[in-house]
Amino acid sequence: MKINSLGPYLFTIGNLSKLSVLSISFNELTGPIPASICNLVNLDYICLHENKLSGSIPFTIENLSKLSELFISLNELTGSIPSTIGNLSNVRKLFFFGNELGGKIPIEMSMLTALKNLQLADNNFVGHLPQNICIGGTLKNFTAGNNNFIGPIPVSLKNCSSLIRVRLQRNQLTGDITDAFGVLPNLDHIELSDNNFYGQLSPNWGKFRSLTSLMISNNNLSGVIPPELAGATKLQRLHLSSNHLTGNIPHDLCNLPLFDLSLDNNNLTGNVPKEIASMQKLQILKLGSNKLSGLIPKQLGNLLNLLNMSLSQNNFQGNIPSELGKLKFLRSLDLGGNSLRGTIPSMFGELKSLETLNLSHNNLSGDLSSFDDMTSLTSIDISYNQFEGPLPNILAFHNAKIEALRNDKGLCGNVSGLEPCSTSSGKSHNHMRKKVMIVILPLTLGILILGLFAFGVSYHLCQTSTNKEDQATSIQTPNIFAIWSFDGKMVFENIIEATEDFDDKHLIGVGGQGCVYKAVLPTGQVVAVKKLHSVPNGEMLNLKAFTCEIQALTEIRHRNIVKLYGFCSHSQFSFLVCEFLENGCVEKTLKDDGQARAFDWYKRVNVVKDVANALFYMHHECSPRIVHRDISSKNVLLDSEYVAHVSDFGTAKFLNPDSSNWTSFVGTFGYAAPELAYTMEVNEKCDVYSFGVLALEILIGKHPGDVISSLLGSSPSTLVASTLDHMALMDKLDQRLPHPTKPIGKEVASIAKIAMACLTESPRSRPTMEQVANELMIPVAANDVAFSIHAVLLTAITLFQIAIYERGSQKVSKVSIGIVSVAWLVAAVCFFIALPNNSWLWLLSVFNTIQVVMTTIKYIPQAVMNFLRKSTDGFSIGNILLDFSGGIANYGQMVVQSTDQDSWVNFYGNIGKVLLSLQGK
């Protein structure tokens, strides 16, 4: 039964002197609280919650000295809290919320040292909050929202470690909130929204290990969102809307178990982190009214529990990701006020729960057919786009006003302000479109295939005939934009998104010409992006280096030279897109003790050989020849297998054979050749010197400055002696590795000897990179040895058989003897020509040429004779088939090997070896 008034019971209640519990909540009691209740001095618990009591709180409440809990919330009480409340020394819970109480909180309330729960919300209180409200150190719950409090947060709350919930929203509180709270280990919920707090969001919030809700919206906070906030690992609700926050959305926030993230109406910049896909519990995402840019991440489609998402009033570009169609439970989506383009994804029709959609103020186009099945949609705004065609026959468009449809390209439908649609013309138009597509599509595919074929042929021809100066000029054209890759999918937006507008978190290196960033593309491919430095009043200098690097890397392809995937040259910024090499530069590897130990002698020897091969290719196989001019440990990069790649061609120079090559000094001190101090002439010997420094640095483990100084001051005889002093060499090797033993020790000593020769002060006395590569030549492959043994042994056996067996009508040809004699004579002369200069690679090419010529002389006459006589009499068909199969197999092996090495330097000579092996049969 419900009691309507306390009046009839006043006398009875006043006589209950031993009453300890009074609970008459959830009734419809009216009138004031009887003053006689305050005579019940044994009362421990009073609950008059949710009635219609009026009047003020009795001043004689001080008589209830044993009272521990007082609930008079959700009534119609007026007046102020009496100061005598301070005499309730045992009170633990005071619930005053949901009344019409006013005035200031009495200062005596700070005397309640046992207080654990104080509820003041939803009244008309004014003045300051009680500053010593947690003086007893037991306060757990404190709510004072929806009042008119002013001033700062109570000082006693800063270190009130017992606090669990604090709600002070919708007041007029002020003050710097940066350090208003210490680290409160038990705090679970805090709401400070709709006040006038200022300052910054403290990183200490990340130390609140029990915090699940942090709400400070609609204040005057500034600064960035601290990444340390991710340390609050239980945080589920984060409201920071309507402040003045700047900077990026920290990636680390995506590791939190948030279901509500509201950061709208701030000044946040950058991209939405892709890692947001990991926030699988997220239901509310509000990022609207900021300065976010880039593409809308397709990863948002993985937030399958999302109910409400707002990305409006930003600068998002590109298409609407079709992946958003996977958000089956989404009810509200706001993408208005951006720079989105393209059509509505067909997957939008899968948003069966969507009720409200705003796409206004974008550059979207196409028809609205994707909305046909969205029957739950009740509110739509597609104004200020480029949409056309009829409105879908669903409720949202039936109820739409012209304001939600205005300023589109060509919409039609039964809405005041739009043109009505012609159904017949629409059907005939669609029918005609299908006919046109049936005719055009096959023709288009045919033309496209022919075009691709023609492009491939013309591209191949252009690669060998295009004038290099014209290429360089075209690269320097202002506002040019070019980007390409082998799979054809690399685009400018991918680079900007992957590096987050070249954020420092992706920075992996800084050089003289630019900064290098690591970028992970949507396809999963990892690339290195070298962004040119922006130098005031010096753009042309950087652009010249940038252009030079593009020209060099587009002209050359080699296994040991970094691959260029694409470039962008623009008045605002320029960058190169190259292959990413996992182990970084040699300099970094040598400086790190752990990496240096992993960089063992076998790897170091191979790296030196790799660099030598690259320089040999540039100096002797490119036309015109290319001088790098900045060979150093920072410009040699290592992949995951420790294969070396020469990089940074910004200072490279194409040597003109018809004129002198003079230029200003470039390079790295400590690696540059000494003659560059007094001459501006550039030739290959400058790279040879730098190679020598690099080789010694790899062996010694640090820059060999002291060794070089002693070498430059040595006489030639001393230099030779030092190269032969093996014990001295071993003393200078990198002490972080065990001393090399045979066979690798022999190669280490050989490299040291070659490096010292490269460091000769006189450029003319230094070896060429052809000689260096010859000295460091990789041992003959097993298949080469096999073919050599095969040819010599079988030929020798055949000659022996000719000598002991009956030859029949066969005679020794004088022409053959003459040809063989000339071949041996040429080989001998070339050998003695190569001997003084150690030109073994040149001699190898001569021998390969002799092999090809000899085989051609043998087989071509026989083949011609067979055609003339229309017979193959005298040939063993079985032997021919075996020869052909073996040759094709070896040819395939050579093609694969040359493709892997990105160099065909040994390919043509190996063909000679195959033919010679056939000759042996």
Side-chain angles (χ1 to χ4, degrees):
M1 139 180 120
K2 288 190 175 182
I3 304 174
N4 294 323
S5 174
L6 280 179
Y9 305 98
L10 291 179
F11 179 79
T12 307
I13 290 177
N15 290 331
L16 300 175
S17 58
K18 295 183 179 180
L19 188 66
S20 61
V21 176
L22 175 61
S23 178
I24 324 177
S25 57
F26 302 103
N27 284 283
E28 297 181 2
L29 300 176
T30 60
I33 298 175
S36 59
I37 289 181
C38 297
N39 295 327
L40 304 175
V41 294
N42 290 312
L43 276 176
D44 173 73
Y45 178 95
I46 298 179
C47 184
L48 305 177
H49 174 77
E50 198 165 344
N51 283 284
K52 296 181 180 180
L53 298 174
S54 58
S56 60
I57 301 172
F59 192 80
T60 55
I61 197 172
E62 62 179 334
N63 295 333
L64 305 177
S65 58
K66 295 182 179 180
L67 191 65
S68 63
E69 298 182 19
L70 174 62
F71 300 91
I72 54 175
S73 49
L74 294 177
N75 281 285
E76 300 173 3
L77 299 175
T78 58
S80 61
I81 298 176
S83 60
T84 54
I85 198 82
N87 293 329
L88 303 180
S89 58
N90 293 313
V91 73
R92 298 191 306 273
K93 296 181 180 180
L94 289 176
F95 280 44
F96 298 119
F97 69 87
N99 283 285
E100 297 178 14
L101 298 171
K104 297 182 179 180
I105 304 299
I107 193 172
E108 288 81 4
M109 189 170 284
S110 298
M111 299 168 58
L112 303 178
T113 56
L115 195 60
K116 293 184 178 181
N117 196 332
L118 175 60
Q119 309 281 337
L120 303 175
D122 300 313
N123 281 287
N124 299 309
F125 293 120
V126 297
H128 289 70
L129 292 169
Q131 291 299 301
N132 295 319
I133 194 63
C134 189
I135 192 171
T138 59
L139 190 65
K140 294 183 178 180
N141 295 289
F142 179 38
T143 67
N146 271 350
N147 281 286
N148 298 301
F149 288 115
I150 60 174
I153 293 173
V155 177
S156 62
L157 294 184
K158 180 173 184 177
N159 297 310
C160 187
S161 59
S162 58
L163 274 177
I164 296 176
R165 295 178 64 87
V166 176
R167 301 187 64 191
L168 306 178
Q169 73 279 8
R170 289 187 290 278
N171 280 285
Q172 300 174 35
L173 298 171
T174 59
D176 189 343
I177 199 176
T178 307
D179 297 315
F181 291 93
V183 178
L184 307 180
N186 298 307
L187 190 66
D188 172 81
H189 179 106
I190 184 167
E191 186 170 1
L192 307 175
S193 302
D194 300 295
N195 281 288
N196 297 310
F197 294 121
Y198 59 89
Q200 298 185 355
L201 203 60
S202 172
N204 284 337
W205 288 111
K207 299 177 182 179
F208 284 56
R209 304 305 184 193
S210 301
L211 191 63
T212 62
S213 296
L214 175 61
M215 293 180 280
I216 322 181
S217 296
N218 198 19
N219 280 281
N220 295 305
L221 300 184
S222 58
V224 301
I225 301 175
E228 293 85 352
L229 189 57
T233 54
K234 293 185 179 180
L235 194 62
Q236 300 177 23
R237 179 189 285 115
L238 179 60
H239 287 189
L240 300 175
S241 303
S242 300
N243 281 287
H244 308 292
L245 299 173
T246 58
N248 296 335
I249 300 174
H251 291 241
D252 294 339
L253 285 187
C254 300
N255 297 325
L256 294 174
L258 292 171
F259 71 83
D260 186 352
L261 176 61
S262 298
L263 305 177
D264 49 306
N265 199 20
N266 280 286
N267 295 309
L268 300 175
T269 56
N271 298 336
V272 177
K274 293 180 181 179
E275 294 83 354
I276 199 169
S278 62
M279 303 174 72
Q280 293 296 310
K281 296 182 179 180
L282 201 61
Q283 297 179 13
I284 299 173
L285 176 62
K286 294 183 178 181
L287 304 178
S289 299
N290 279 287
K291 297 178 181 178
L292 300 172
S293 58
L295 303 176
I296 295 178
K298 62 182 180 181
Q299 290 81 359
L300 290 174
N302 296 327
L303 305 179
L304 301 182
N305 291 310
L306 211 55
L307 302 176
N308 185 325
M309 178 166 66
S310 173
L311 305 178
S312 62
Q313 306 301 320
N314 282 287
N315 191 31
F316 291 115
Q317 300 178 351
N319 298 333
I320 299 175
S322 60
E323 288 78 4
L324 296 187
K326 297 188 295 184
L327 304 177
K328 307 295 185 183
F329 302 108
L330 192 65
R331 296 177 183 173
S332 176
L333 176 61
D334 191 350
L335 302 178
N338 284 287
S339 299
L340 301 174
R341 61 179 184 270
T343 60
I344 304 297
S346 59
M347 284 191 65
F348 253 47
E350 301 297 322
L351 298 176
K352 304 298 186 182
S353 301
L354 194 64
E355 299 173 358
T356 303
L357 175 63
N358 181 11
L359 300 176
S360 65
H361 295 84
N362 282 287
N363 294 310
L364 299 168
S365 58
D367 60 33
L368 305 177
S369 58
S370 299
F371 295 122
D372 288 343
D373 297 326
M374 298 175 64
T375 54
S376 62
L377 197 62
T378 58
S379 176
I380 184 77
D381 189 348
I382 57 172
S383 59
Y384 296 91
N385 281 286
Q386 302 295 321
F387 292 121
E388 56 186 334
L391 298 181
N393 186 25
I394 59 174
L395 181 63
F397 287 96
H398 292 168
N399 299 331
K401 304 295 183 182
I402 187 60
E403 289 76 16
L405 306 172
R406 69 170 68 249
N407 287 85
D408 273 292
K409 184 176 180 180
L411 293 177
C412 64
N414 297 323
V415 174
S416 177
L418 292 182
E419 295 289 333
C421 298
S422 175
T423 56
S424 60
S425 64
K427 291 181 180 178
S428 63
H429 176 74
N430 290 336
H431 184 65
M432 181 62 67
R433 180 185 298 176
K434 291 180 180 178
K435 284 187 175 182
V436 171
M437 289 297 294
I438 291 174
V439 175
I440 293 297
L441 187 58
L443 290 177
T444 303
L445 291 175
I447 293 173
L448 180 61
I449 292 172
L450 290 176
L452 290 175
F453 177 76
F455 174 80
V457 174
S458 61
Y459 178 80
H460 176 72
L461 295 175
C462 288
Q463 284 294 95
T464 59
S465 62
T466 302
N467 186 287
K468 295 178 178 59
E469 294 180 1
D470 291 341
Q471 290 178 349
T473 303
S474 66
I475 290 171
Q476 296 180 31
T477 303
N479 295 327
I480 186 171
F481 174 76
I483 200 81
W484 73 88
S485 75
F486 296 121
D487 59 9
K489 296 180 181 178
M490 183 179 298
V491 293
F492 173 77
E493 289 86 354
N494 293 146
I495 299 299
I496 299 302
E497 180 183 1
T499 59
E500 300 182 61
D501 287 330
F502 298 105
D503 192 284
D504 285 348
K505 70 177 71 175
H506 300 286
L507 187 67
I508 58 176
V510 179
Q513 301 295 336
C515 299
V516 182
Y517 299 83
K518 177 181 178 182
V520 181
L521 302 179
T523 60
Q525 182 182 10
V526 183
V527 295
V529 181
K530 178 180 178 181
K531 181 175 177 288
L532 195 68
H533 284 319
S534 298
V535 182
N537 301 322
E539 290 83 2
M540 290 308 297
L541 178 61
N542 282 336
L543 184 58
K544 181 178 180 181
F546 178 70
T547 302
C548 182
E549 185 158 10
I550 294 173
Q551 184 181 7
L553 290 178
T554 52
E555 291 292 329
I556 57 181
R557 286 287 179 183
H558 191 272
R559 178 175 183 262
N560 300 119
I561 294 176
V562 68
K563 293 179 183 177
L564 174 68
Y565 292 147
F567 66 89
C568 169
S569 180
H570 194 271
S571 58
Q572 294 181 348
F573 55 80
S574 303
F575 58 80
L576 298 172
V577 184
C578 301
E579 66 176 321
F580 175 74
L581 300 169
E582 295 84 347
N583 280 323
C585 65
V586 170
E587 180 185 48
K588 178 178 74 71
T589 300
L590 292 176
K591 284 184 177 180
D592 185 277
D593 288 344
Q595 295 184 41
R597 293 187 185 97
F599 192 28
D600 59 38
W601 292 119
Y602 287 95
K603 294 186 178 73
R604 298 192 189 201
V605 166
N606 288 332
V607 165
V608 174
K609 291 179 180 179
D610 290 342
V611 177
N613 288 335
L615 290 176
F616 166 71
Y617 171 79
M618 294 162 55
H619 291 182
H620 300 282
E621 295 191 350
C622 291
S623 180
R625 295 168 296 161
I626 301 174
V627 180
H628 187 279
R629 298 204 293 170
D630 195 14
I631 294 294
S632 65
S633 56
K634 72 176 185 299
N635 289 334
V636 175
L637 307 179
L638 306 176
D639 65 15
S640 59
E641 302 297 328
Y642 288 89
V643 175
H645 298 70
V646 177
S647 69
D648 200 346
F649 282 75
T651 59
K653 183 172 180 62
F654 291 81
L655 297 185
N656 188 345
D658 300 325
S659 65
S660 58
N661 296 278
W662 296 79
T663 183
S664 58
F665 174 80
V666 294
T668 303
F669 290 105
Y671 296 88
E675 64 268 17
L676 295 178
Y678 55 82
T679 181
M680 292 186 292
E681 184 177 7
V682 173
N683 55 45
E684 300 96 324
K685 295 301 181 73
C686 300
D687 280 353
V688 174
Y689 182 90
S690 301
F691 170 80
V693 178
L694 173 65
L696 280 186
E697 181 176 357
I698 292 174
L699 297 185
I700 295 175
K702 62 180 181 179
H703 188 275
D706 54 343
V707 176
I708 296 173
S709 299
S710 63
L711 285 177
L712 293 180
S714 303
S715 64
S717 59
T718 305
L719 177 59
V720 173
S722 65
T723 62
L724 299 176
D725 189 350
H726 184 69
M727 295 304 297
L729 167 67
M730 301 303 284
D731 290 340
K732 293 182 181 296
L733 295 180
D734 194 339
Q735 299 299 312
R736 293 171 293 186
L737 294 180
H739 285 297
T741 57
K742 292 182 179 180
I744 194 65
K746 184 177 180 181
E747 292 197 65
V748 170
S750 176
I751 289 175
K753 179 180 177 181
I754 294 170
M756 292 177 181
C758 293
L759 296 175
T760 305
E761 186 171 6
S762 171
R764 293 185 178 181
S765 300
R766 296 174 199 151
T768 64
M769 286 313 300
E770 180 180 20
Q771 294 169 324
V772 171
N774 172 62
E775 289 291 332
L776 297 175
M777 186 182 298
I778 300 174
V780 180
N783 67 304
D784 291 339
V785 174
F787 273 110
S788 298
I789 295 174
H790 163 89
V792 173
L793 286 182
L794 287 184
T795 304
I797 292 172
T798 303
L799 290 174
F800 178 74
Q801 290 171 340
I802 291 173
I804 65 174
Y805 295 140
E806 178 62 34
R807 295 198 301 270
S809 59
Q810 295 188 57
K811 297 181 181 180
V812 179
S813 170
K814 294 181 180 179
V815 176
S816 297
I817 293 175
I819 292 174
V820 172
S821 300
V822 170
W824 279 105
L825 179 62
V826 170
V829 171
C830 291
F831 173 80
F832 287 105
I833 292 175
L835 186 59
N837 297 319
N838 294 327
S839 302
W840 305 124
L841 289 180
W842 171 77
L843 185 62
L844 176 62
S845 64
V846 171
F847 285 173
N848 286 336
T849 303
I850 293 174
Q851 292 171 3
V852 174
V853 170
M854 295 284 284
T855 307
T856 302
I857 291 173
K858 174 181 183 292
Y859 277 97
I860 287 182
Q862 183 67 56
V864 172
M865 184 183 68
N866 290 341
F867 277 116
L868 292 176
R869 67 177 184 168
K870 309 297 182 184
S871 172
T872 58
D873 183 37
F875 278 82
S876 170
I877 297 177
N879 286 343
I880 293 296
L881 289 175
L882 291 174
D883 288 346
F884 181 78
S885 300
I888 290 297
N890 192 68
Y891 181 83
Q893 177 264 332
M894 290 188 295
V895 170
V896 173
Q897 181 180 7
S898 297
T899 302
D900 177 65
Q901 294 177 346
D902 280 345
S903 174
W904 299 82
V905 61
N906 294 320
F907 179 80
Y908 305 106
N910 284 338
I911 292 179
K913 295 178 185 178
V914 175
L915 296 178
L916 187 61
S917 71
L918 299 181
Q919 180 182 355
K921 294 194 175 184

